[in-house]
Amino acid sequence: MLIVGVNGSPRVDGNTEFALGYALEQVKSKGIEIETINLRDHELRYCQGCFACRNGTCVHDDEMKDLLPLLEKCDGLILASPVYMGMVTSQMKTFMDRSVILRVNGFKLSGKIGGGIACGGFRNGGQELTLQNMQTFFLQQDMMAVSDGPRFSHSGAAIVATAAEDEVGLRTVKHLADRLCKGVSDLSN
Ligand SMILES: Cc1cc2nc3c(=O)[nH]c(=O)nc-3n(C[C@H](O)[C@H](O)[C@H](O)COP(=O)(O)O)c2cc1C
């Protein structure tokens, strides 16, 4: 079993990196393999909407082609993004758009489990909308979106301000990771 975490923050050692690392440590402690993709390390061009990908190949010969096999291989996906202007970052949006190639070529992510982590500077800064951006992506890829699990079961994991100091937020991250692990394990049985 493999869970891939995608970090949409341009900042090294930022809150998103911390929160995603916290989630993936939780995943690893359950014996599930993990991989991290830091989008800032990859050159991704914007989707240009030509739908050349319907023939199986994107017109952009860039690093997205290195990320796609990992997406196809994983059982679960965590998308983690800072909140920028109430939404996911442009890095995350570009990644989402470019993954359309997996959708138009037979829904290659179909049935995989997805969960979201949103890190904002302020309470009510747009974490919920950012999580909804991610959930919409999961649904459009025919994936299954999870919440932060029973007892709480809200939109996913939400961090306010400094992730390392946000005890409540980190609890939502842990619960999201637990729920994702359960989903992935249930599917493999
Ligand atoms: C361009 C920009 C827009 C932002 N917009 C919001 C926002 O709408 N709501 C919010 O709560 N925080 C906003 N922030 C703050 C970041 O979401 C916050 O600092 C976050 O922790 C950054 O994550 P990082 O440390 O992983 O980069 C914004 C920051 C930037 C740079």
Side-chain angles (χ1 to χ4, degrees):
M1 285 180 290
L2 171 68
I3 291 184
V4 170
V6 180
N7 175 9
S9 172
R11 287 199 328 131
V12 178
D13 289 335
N15 295 305
T16 311
E17 191 162 339
F18 184 90
L20 180 60
Y22 192 83
L24 291 175
E25 276 307 309
Q26 183 67 16
V27 170
K28 207 161 97 179
S29 74
K30 294 186 183 293
I32 296 175
E33 208 186 324
I34 56 166
E35 287 277 355
T36 307
I37 297 172
N38 285 304
L39 292 178
R40 63 167 181 266
D41 296 337
H42 298 277
E43 200 71 40
L44 303 187
R45 300 187 62 200
Y46 296 137
C47 174
Q48 63 181 45
C50 63
F51 279 112
C53 58
R54 283 188 175 136
N55 299 321
T57 316
C58 181
V59 288
H60 296 313
D61 183 17
D62 62 12
E63 294 184 24
M64 191 67 193
K65 68 177 180 308
D66 304 329
L67 308 183
L68 293 171
L70 212 45
L71 295 183
E72 282 194 64
K73 190 176 156 210
C74 78
D75 305 285
L77 187 62
I78 303 177
L79 297 184
S81 178
V83 181
Y84 275 15
M85 306 307 286
M87 305 167 229
V88 292
T89 58
S90 45
Q91 287 84 350
M92 181 59 78
K93 184 60 167 65
T94 299
F95 169 80
M96 288 170 165
D97 291 347
R98 292 290 306 281
S99 76
V100 75
I101 189 169
L102 300 175
R103 176 185 152 98
V104 300
N105 287 286
F107 284 97
K108 301 255 172 59
L109 302 183
S110 186
K112 298 180 191 290
I113 315 256
I117 301 174
C119 300
F122 307 93
R123 192 176 312 284
N124 302 324
Q127 286 88 341
E128 280 201 66
L129 203 59
T130 302
L131 291 169
Q132 283 168 19
N133 292 163
M134 297 166 185
Q135 286 151 7
T136 301
F137 166 82
F138 295 140
L139 297 181
Q140 297 219 355
Q141 288 286 12
D142 194 34
M143 294 174 63
M144 295 187 280
V146 294
S147 70
D148 48 338
R151 213 174 138 228
F152 304 99
S153 201
H154 294 122
S155 307
I159 293 287
V160 179
T162 308
E165 295 171 7
D166 182 8
E167 219 176 287
V168 176
L170 288 178
R171 216 181 304 146
T172 65
V173 173
K174 180 184 178 300
H175 290 151
L176 178 91
D178 287 346
R179 183 65 191 86
L180 203 70
C181 291
K182 183 177 182 315
V184 163
S185 304
D186 287 352
L187 273 187
S188 76
N189 290 326

